[in-house]
Amino acid sequence: GGQIWTEDYDPYDPFTLEDSHRVLPRSFKEEIEKGNMAPVLITQASIYPQGRIMSILLKGIDPSQKVSELPTDKLLEGHEDIPAIIGTGMARDARLSTGDYITVRWRDVDGTFDAAEVHIVGMFQCNVPAVDNGQMWIPIERLREMTQMPGEATLLIADQDYTWTGEEAGWVLRNHDYLLKEMMEMIK
């Protein structure tokens, strides 16, 4: 179904991430409850594997969502730690395995740094670098709490059953043609 982004979000410009989050409108919340959308909150972070620093995108997603094929059910609450899933590419680059703990440092909405240990509870195989490389996925409510952004998201992943009405100010639909444009041009 595509994605719906905050109008400020540009995945190729890390400086936009600071301001690329908004409170979800009521109409989106209704679609999320129906299972037609999955909100994602994105923030920049750093991890410290084997004594080196690595910049990542820390992404919050609903563990019970069914829109994406990510194994987010591994993030279901019940963990005292902050659970995370990563792709096999990220695991290779950071030399991480399921069961590992890693320190993550991020900034909250006011720019204050904080850090915590994250527990890698699962990995997934994915051939889409924008989902795997340099990405760590945690429960969205945990990330909202960590960044002090209650009820906010950067983008929403839309199910094929969702129909965009274009009525929500500050949000922009990115359909498959837009999202796959670079790949299609490369194939041509």
Side-chain angles (χ1 to χ4, degrees):
Q3 296 178 356
I4 300 169
W5 295 358
T6 59
E7 63 186 358
D8 303 328
Y9 177 61
D10 179 352
Y12 301 110
D13 184 358
F15 296 109
T16 66
L17 281 177
E18 230 174 87
D19 301 318
S20 298
H21 53 89
R22 292 181 183 269
V23 174
L24 293 169
R26 182 178 303 153
S27 65
F28 289 176
K29 290 178 184 176
E30 292 169 3
E31 291 297 326
I32 292 166
E33 289 172 9
K34 291 179 191 174
N36 293 333
M37 298 172 107
V40 177
L41 181 62
I42 306 171
T43 191
Q44 290 179 299
S46 299
I47 59 173
Y48 301 90
Q50 289 82 39
R52 56 193 171 92
I53 187 170
M54 184 175 177
S55 293
I56 65 163
L57 291 178
L58 192 57
K59 294 186 171 184
I61 191 165
D62 182 357
S64 59
Q65 65 83 29
K66 301 292 182 218
V67 178
S68 164
E69 291 184 19
L70 288 172
T72 56
D73 57 326
K74 294 179 181 182
L75 299 174
L76 288 170
E77 294 301 322
H79 301 280
E80 287 184 27
D81 307 313
I82 300 170
I85 57 172
I86 57 174
T88 53
M90 170 72 173
R92 181 187 61 247
D93 293 346
R95 297 184 198 119
L96 293 170
S97 301
T98 300
D100 287 351
Y101 286 85
I102 185 102
T103 300
V104 176
R105 189 177 110 186
W106 69 93
R107 286 181 138 169
D108 67 18
V109 73
D110 297 318
T112 304
F113 283 102
D114 203 350
E117 291 288 310
V118 171
H119 184 205
I120 307 299
V121 295
M123 284 193 273
F124 57 89
Q125 181 102 26
C126 181
N127 58 2
V128 181
V131 176
D132 181 348
N133 296 347
Q135 322 271 324
M136 186 173 285
W137 298 81
I138 68 172
I140 192 167
E141 289 304 325
R142 285 274 179 100
L143 186 56
R144 286 171 172 165
E145 181 182 306
M146 291 161 52
T147 57
Q148 299 177 7
M149 298 179 196
E152 297 193 19
T154 303
L155 62 89
L156 294 109
I157 304 168
D159 189 309
Q160 59 193 3
D161 295 332
Y162 177 74
T163 304
W164 171 253
T165 60
E167 296 173 1
E168 296 299 343
W171 297 89
V172 181
L173 175 68
R174 301 299 187 200
N175 61 21
H176 286 273
D177 293 336
Y178 181 90
L179 295 170
L180 300 174
K181 182 180 179 184
E182 292 173 356
M183 187 184 309
M184 295 304 183
E185 288 176 359
M186 207 165 40
I187 291 170
K188 286 180 186 176

